[in-house]
Amino acid sequence: MGHSRTDVVAAALRVLDEQGLEFCSMRRVAAALDVQPSALYHHVPDKQTLLALMADELVSGVDGSGPAELCRDLRWAMLAVRDGADVVATASAYRLGASAVEARLAELLRKRFEDMTPWEAVESARTLLHFVFGHSQSTQMLLQAQEFAALAAGRPADASADPPGASRADLEASFDRGIAVILAGLAVRLELVSASG
C-alpha cells in the first residue's frame, strides 16, 4: 500500500516527538513508514520541504480572536510536540513558504490598531513571532532539561523545588507579560507617529 504526503508528514512528526529534531532524518521517517528513504522523495523533494510541511501541520489549528490569543495558541501548538518550536522557527527563519500565521497575525494587528499601515502590521507581526519563537524554544529547552534531570547537576541536595521562574505557571506568566509589553509598545509608537504626523 502506498503512502501519501500526509502520511510522510505525520510520520515525520511522530519521529520528531519521539526522538527530537536532531534525530529526525529522512532515513528514520522512512523507517517509521517501513519504506526505503528513496520512497519519500516521491512526496517531498528534500528535507527542507519536509520541515516546512511539518511546521505547517504543527500550526494548522492556530487561530485567535486577537494578536495575544493567536500568539498564545501558536506557543501551545509548538510546545505540544518535542522540538516543535525549533521546527516552526527554523521554517520561518528560512522562509520556507508563506506563513499563514504571520499573515493572520498582521491582519489582527491592523484590526486592533486602525492607524497601522500594512507594512507596519507585517513588521509588527514578525516582531511578535520572533518573541513567540524565542520564548517557546527557551521554554521547550528548559522543560526538556527538567524532564531528563539535566538541571539537577550542581544544585544543592536540598534544592527540591524548580529554580525561580522555571515552573510552567512562571513560564506562562512570563510569556503573557512579554506579549503585553510588545503590544503596549506598538500602541505608544503609533500614538507618537500620529501625534507628530
Side-chain angles (χ1 to χ4, degrees):
M1 179 175 159
H3 294 287
S4 67
R5 176 182 271 198
T6 302
D7 296 331
V8 172
V9 173
L13 288 171
R14 283 193 308 275
V15 172
L16 176 71
D17 201 32
E18 292 167 5
Q19 301 182 31
L21 184 57
E22 181 181 359
F23 299 106
C24 188
S25 65
M26 296 294 269
R27 185 172 53 239
R28 285 197 168 114
V29 173
L33 291 169
D34 200 26
V35 298
Q36 292 296 314
S38 59
L40 298 182
Y41 295 100
H42 294 287
H43 304 290
V44 292
D46 51 41
K47 188 171 180 185
Q48 290 76 18
T49 301
L50 180 58
L51 188 73
L53 293 168
M54 291 165 66
D56 288 346
E57 182 61 27
L58 283 169
V59 302
S60 64
V62 171
D63 198 9
S65 58
E69 293 80 12
L70 186 138
C71 290
R72 205 171 293 117
D73 285 354
L74 175 59
R75 181 172 182 266
W76 290 333
M78 291 187 296
L79 293 178
V81 175
R82 180 178 175 183
D83 293 341
D86 286 340
V87 168
V88 177
T90 300
S92 178
Y94 292 164
R95 307 306 278 174
L96 297 174
S99 170
V101 171
E102 183 180 303
R104 174 73 175 139
L105 185 53
E107 175 189 328
L108 291 170
L109 286 166
R110 290 211 60 208
K111 285 182 181 176
R112 179 168 178 169
F113 303 110
E114 294 175 2
D115 293 338
M116 187 175 274
T117 67
W119 176 85
E120 288 171 322
V122 168
E123 290 300 312
S124 299
R126 286 184 183 154
T127 298
L128 278 163
L129 289 178
H130 285 287
F131 173 77
V132 174
F133 295 153
H135 197 287
S136 299
Q137 286 173 306
S138 283
T139 297
Q140 219 154 32
M141 200 178 312
L142 179 61
L143 294 176
Q144 287 174 9
Q146 289 172 343
E147 178 184 343
F148 297 113
L151 296 178
R155 290 177 58 196
D158 63 348
S160 57
D162 288 330
S167 74
R168 283 191 177 266
D170 291 339
L171 294 167
E172 294 293 329
S174 167
F175 179 79
D176 288 341
R177 283 191 304 271
I179 294 294
V181 165
I182 294 169
L183 292 174
L186 287 172
V188 169
R189 182 183 179 284
L190 289 168
E191 285 175 23
L192 290 173
V193 168
S194 179
S196 68

